[in-house]
Amino acid sequence: MATKRLSKLLGHLNKDEEDEKVLENNECGARGSSSSSLTVTDNRTGKTLDIEIADGVVNAKEFSKLRLPNANIGLRVYDPGYTNTAAATSRITYIDGP
């Protein structure tokens, strides 16, 4: 079991050209004000927000800028089971991922 996990970990740590191509495609294929951003429109208020995409990741805290008038707290992102959440930027974040 430990050998299998170590092997998978080392596989993620080794820089792979294929990984770089995937990151490039994710960043270049995004729509918005630039090729490395995500544009979100809040249909409740009509407010549009551009969120930077860095290394294929967006900062969930940015969504808190979307709030209803007179609201103290903005929109929050819920990820049940933490199935698509990274606690840190790391090449090994997805070691147990899909």
Side-chain angles (χ1 to χ4, degrees):
M1 178 78 166
T3 305
K4 185 177 179 182
R5 291 179 62 85
L6 181 58
S7 174
K8 194 164 190 172
L9 174 64
L10 290 173
H12 285 285
L13 289 174
N14 291 329
K15 204 164 197 162
D16 189 350
E17 287 181 32
E18 193 172 311
D19 290 341
E20 296 301 321
K21 288 178 186 175
V22 168
L23 285 175
E24 276 182 30
N25 288 340
N26 285 342
E27 291 176 359
C28 294
R31 295 180 182 176
S33 62
S34 71
S35 63
S36 61
S37 70
L38 171 70
T39 302
V40 179
T41 302
D42 187 341
N43 292 327
R44 304 170 301 169
T45 62
K47 182 177 179 180
T48 300
L49 179 67
D50 286 328
I51 301 173
E52 179 185 3
I53 300 172
D55 296 324
V57 177
V58 296
N59 185 347
K61 185 73 174 163
E62 293 293 313
F63 287 91
S64 68
K65 294 177 182 175
L66 298 172
R67 64 181 69 197
L68 293 173
N70 302 321
N72 293 330
I73 298 173
L75 187 65
R76 294 187 182 186
V77 178
Y78 176 58
D79 181 15
Y82 297 100
T83 57
N84 195 34
T85 299
T89 302
S90 169
R91 289 187 60 83
I92 63 170
T93 299
Y94 298 104
I95 190 167
D96 292 329

